[in-house]
Amino acid sequence: MKNKKFSRVLSFILVMATVATLAISCKDKTPEEPVQEPDPNMYDLTGFKIVRDAASDSNVAQATADIKRAIKDIIGLDATVSLDVDTEAGAKEILVGETNRPESESTLAYLKKTYEENSYAIRIGNDKIVIVGTDDNATERAIYEFINTYVKASSSGSSLNIAAGQQIVAPYDRKNIITTSSGVEIHVDIAKQMYSQGFSVMEDKHGNKVILNSASYPSVTELRYQSDPKNNGKLIATMSLNVDYINMATEPGGGTVMMSSDRGKTWEMLSRPWETKFPKLSSVGSMAHIYELPVQIGDMPAGTLLYSYNAVNYDHPDGGNGQSILAVWRSYDCGLNWEEYVIIDEARGIKQGIWEPFMIYSEEDGYLYCFYSDDSDPDHDQKISYKRSKDGVNWEGEGGKIGTGTGKDVEPVDVVAIDKFKYRPGMPVITKMGNGEYFLVYEQFGDWTGCPIYYKKTRDLSDWGDVSDIGTLIKAKTGEVLSSSPACVWLDVGGECGTLIVTAKQGSNKGYMLVSFDYGETWEKIDNPLVGQPIITNGSGNDRVGYSPAFWLSTDGKTVYYLNSINDARNPTETRVMGFARLTIYGPKSYDGKDK
């Protein structure tokens, strides 16, 4: 009995001691750090070796050395470089050029099947990274695209940043390259007429058959916010056309909506919106702008297409001045069907009209803005103004007042309104730059010859500073200026400040555009891929070759779509048609050793 009692006491003491120890250890123990989930945008390069095609040229060899330097400088890893014929295949390799590895061979076979020639690919797979082109020149370009796109500093020091995606496949045509003084390359992948004027019949999806003649006022966007992913990547373009109808009792002219499913190689006509709220207004679709909503605005989901345009009554029903409206249509099916749903502003005809809308959404304040040229202010021959909306239906003007009906009861907000009455700033176009600034270009009639292009910058679309300030003239270091109907686009390629491109009518006709690599502080002249000589034929208006061009930046961040009116290749002395160019912009083919 004594032994059993002793055992029970001893057991109790041991249990309590254990509990106390556990309690102490739990109390003193530092809470475990939360488990860090791997970043899906990071790709660990630890242990990778660089393997180059032994038959590649000296440029590829130098570029391969730049991969090694970039990985060491930016990521902190010192990767070895060897030739494919000197090493056995390993588990972790960066394969450069047409190596003897099956991953290089299969990627190159895909390129040759897809593009035949002049192309490259970057593929990041399980323990293999393939960088290859259809020739050494394309491989060299692929190498610097790899460095500039993926080799970037990250919180995980041994990793590539693959947020841009794990595959890049792109054309690289050496035949049509515009090279800037800084080494930035602008590749002209396509430069062509969108259609043949007067020689072919086009039919839209509603059965309207037309023969397309002269065109102007283009606008273009690449779909990227559609709920059905198969529609993203399609191009939607609008333009004002003179047409010949076939078996239709309706007046010619007006806007046309076109679509391309192959990045601009071919185009088809979708629809032709017609004025419904003011049926007597002609010139429907003139000066139109196409815009895809990036977010939901009111009851309109992201991906809704907005088609804003100017319509005018040239019959002068009020005794000599007519009527002018700035209207908006919307489409929920990628431009096939349209509903005219709001009038942003209304003015009096030709002498007091409203023109040239341009829409843009502000992430900073959540407003949808519509900028336009405004002739209706008696204190200014013309000015640039805006209205803005939270729901796309009710548009806010001066003093925060929200308009009703046709919007003519609300004064717009001034953006550029010069004190001298005869000054006419107009045709506004805006792009947002990488430093957070919005860049506004516009033409400026005044007491000088021509219609030079000026710009203003702001970080707040609602505040452009002193509206009476004329702005800054865009002028190249070598003296060239642009004139009449500008367009601009900024992209994050080409250096620390990216690339800013501006074109206009006068410049297009002379074969040049202007680019800036410092957010517009200085400018350089480059070749224009859509050149058209001015045409004047019996006052027909064909002198508007090169008039009112349009840019749009693709989702890949380096492809620019460019529309402009050009001379018809079959009848260049008498007619103009719409031209299309697809441009790919590449940074200099060098690694400067800086942390990108």
Side-chain angles (χ1 to χ4, degrees):
M1 293 292 294
K2 183 177 179 181
N3 291 339
K4 290 181 179 180
K5 183 177 180 180
F6 177 79
S7 297
R8 286 197 297 268
V9 172
L10 180 60
S11 297
F12 176 78
I13 293 172
L14 291 174
V15 169
M16 293 304 294
T18 302
V19 171
T21 303
L22 289 173
I24 293 171
S25 63
C26 288
K27 182 177 180 180
D28 294 343
K29 185 177 181 180
T30 303
E32 291 185 3
E33 294 292 330
V35 177
Q36 295 292 329
E37 294 294 330
D39 187 340
N41 290 328
M42 306 314 298
Y43 185 93
D44 193 354
L45 274 185
T46 304
F48 268 76
K49 298 179 180 180
I50 302 172
V51 179
R52 177 172 64 84
D53 170 18
S56 57
D57 65 16
S58 58
N59 290 332
V60 172
Q62 177 57 54
T64 303
D66 281 345
I67 296 178
K68 175 181 171 66
R69 286 202 303 135
I71 290 175
K72 185 175 182 180
D73 292 346
I74 298 173
I75 297 179
L77 295 175
D78 192 3
T80 62
V81 178
S82 60
L83 300 179
D84 58 344
V85 296
D86 295 337
T87 57
E88 296 292 331
K92 295 183 176 182
E93 294 180 320
I94 299 175
L95 306 175
V96 180
E98 190 178 351
T99 73
N100 56 15
R101 308 303 199 248
E103 293 84 0
S104 298
E105 294 171 354
S106 62
T107 302
L108 186 58
Y110 170 79
L111 282 178
K112 291 181 176 179
K113 179 180 178 181
T114 306
Y115 292 99
E116 295 184 359
E117 58 182 7
N118 300 323
S119 61
Y120 67 82
I122 302 169
R123 283 182 172 174
I124 301 177
N126 294 328
D127 296 334
K128 296 287 182 178
I129 298 174
V130 179
I131 306 172
V132 65
T134 50
D135 57 26
D136 283 341
N137 193 275
T139 297
E140 182 191 7
R141 168 48 61 198
I143 290 170
Y144 291 110
E145 284 301 288
F146 172 76
I147 293 172
N148 293 328
T149 302
Y150 298 121
V151 186
K152 297 181 179 180
S154 68
S155 57
S156 177
S158 60
S159 301
L160 286 181
N161 188 328
I162 57 171
Q166 292 183 264
Q167 175 168 292
I168 296 176
V169 179
Y172 184 76
D173 190 346
R174 292 171 294 166
K175 298 176 183 177
N176 299 291
I177 300 177
I178 302 167
T179 304
T180 70
S181 60
S182 62
V184 172
E185 296 180 349
I186 301 175
H187 287 234
V188 185
D189 302 325
I190 298 175
K192 55 177 287 186
Q193 293 182 189
M194 291 178 67
Y195 58 88
S196 296
Q197 184 271 347
F199 293 94
S200 60
V201 176
M202 294 190 73
E203 181 177 354
D204 70 12
K205 299 301 183 180
H206 303 283
N208 299 319
K209 294 181 180 180
V210 299
I211 298 176
L212 304 182
N213 290 316
S214 61
S216 60
Y217 287 109
S219 182
V220 63
T221 190
E222 180 189 58
L223 299 181
R224 63 182 68 178
Y225 304 108
Q226 298 302 305
S227 57
D228 186 345
K230 74 174 184 295
N231 289 322
N232 288 321
K234 293 180 179 179
L235 300 182
I236 303 293
T238 67
M239 63 197 74
S240 180
L241 287 172
N242 291 324
V243 301
D244 296 326
Y245 281 92
I246 301 175
N247 299 323
M248 286 188 65
T250 184
E251 57 187 279
T256 293
V257 180
M258 302 181 74
M259 183 182 74
S260 173
S261 299
D262 54 13
R263 305 182 73 218
K265 291 181 181 179
T266 59
W267 294 86
E268 61 178 326
M269 191 164 61
L270 287 181
S271 54
R272 306 206 67 225
W274 289 96
E275 177 57 39
T276 59
K277 293 184 177 294
F278 294 89
K280 291 185 179 181
L281 296 183
S282 60
S283 190
V284 176
S286 175
M287 312 179 191
H289 182 243
I290 191 77
Y291 187 70
E292 184 189 24
L293 291 181
V295 298
Q296 178 157 335
I297 300 289
D299 62 359
M300 297 182 291
T304 301
L305 283 178
L306 299 184
Y307 177 96
S308 54
Y309 67 89
N310 167 259
V312 178
N313 188 336
Y314 289 103
D315 295 332
H316 313 298
D318 63 351
N321 203 26
Q323 183 184 26
S324 173
I325 66 168
L326 197 163
V328 186
W329 291 63
R330 59 188 173 191
S331 173
Y332 299 111
D333 55 10
C334 303
L336 179 60
N337 294 287
W338 295 90
E339 170 199 7
E340 184 180 11
Y341 80 99
V342 71
I343 308 296
I344 293 179
D345 208 346
E346 181 181 0
R348 296 182 59 202
I350 310 306
K351 296 181 180 179
Q352 297 180 18
I354 44 182
W355 321 96
E356 304 143 359
F358 183 91
M359 284 192 168
I360 184 171
Y361 173 75
S362 169
E363 296 178 351
E364 290 79 10
D365 59 24
Y367 276 97
L368 175 66
Y369 284 76
C370 184
F371 291 81
Y372 53 99
S373 305
D374 182 6
D375 287 358
S376 64
D377 186 345
D379 294 330
H380 301 277
D381 193 22
Q382 183 169 282
K383 62 183 181 178
I384 296 174
S385 306
Y386 76 77
K387 288 186 181 180
R388 63 182 186 172
S389 176
K390 282 285 190 180
D391 60 9
V393 175
N394 301 289
W395 290 81
E396 176 184 308
E398 184 65 39
K401 184 178 179 182
I402 297 178
T404 59
T406 63
K408 62 182 178 181
D409 56 335
V410 174
E411 291 297 320
V413 181
D414 290 347
V415 175
V416 187
I418 312 302
D419 289 337
K420 291 186 178 181
F421 177 81
K422 64 180 179 180
Y423 280 29
R424 290 178 57 84
M427 304 193 77
V429 176
I430 299 172
T431 188
K432 189 175 184 181
M433 302 188 293
N435 63 352
E437 290 183 317
Y438 292 94
F439 185 86
L440 164 70
V441 291
Y442 49 96
E443 64 181 19
Q444 179 66 270
F445 278 104
D447 51 7
W448 47 71
T449 301
C451 184
I453 306 305
Y454 282 72
Y455 76 83
K456 282 190 173 184
K457 295 189 285 189
T458 185
R459 293 182 179 274
D460 182 354
L461 283 176
S462 69
D463 183 3
W464 293 87
D466 181 3
V467 299
S468 66
D469 180 7
I470 194 172
T472 303
L473 177 68
I474 296 178
K475 186 176 183 179
K477 296 177 182 178
T478 48
E480 292 84 0
V481 296
L482 298 167
S483 178
S484 177
S485 60
C488 64
V489 65
W490 182 90
L491 59 158
D492 190 15
V493 176
E496 185 177 349
C497 300
T499 300
L500 179 62
I501 308 175
V502 176
T503 189
K505 177 186 175 184
Q506 298 300 329
S508 299
N509 289 343
K510 296 179 180 178
Y512 66 84
M513 302 188 293
L514 298 182
V515 295
S516 173
F517 301 106
D518 52 13
Y519 298 126
E521 297 302 309
T522 60
W523 297 89
E524 176 182 344
K525 183 183 78 169
I526 61 170
D527 291 339
N528 192 317
L530 294 178
V531 179
Q533 297 301 318
I535 303 168
I536 301 177
T537 306
N538 300 323
S540 64
N542 282 332
D543 62 318
R544 288 194 170 188
V545 169
Y547 188 75
S548 188
F551 285 128
W552 189 258
L553 177 63
S554 175
T555 52
D556 66 12
K558 64 182 179 182
T559 301
V560 172
Y561 302 111
Y562 172 33
L563 270 65
N564 204 356
S565 55
I566 59 174
N567 306 84
D568 189 318
R570 301 194 192 189
N571 198 356
T573 62
E574 294 185 6
T575 58
R576 72 178 191 274
V577 296
M578 191 54 59
F580 170 81
R582 189 180 71 214
L583 314 176
T584 305
I585 290 80
Y586 297 99
K589 288 198 292 187
S590 64
Y591 169 64
D592 58 13
K594 294 180 181 179
D595 187 335
K596 298 178 185 291

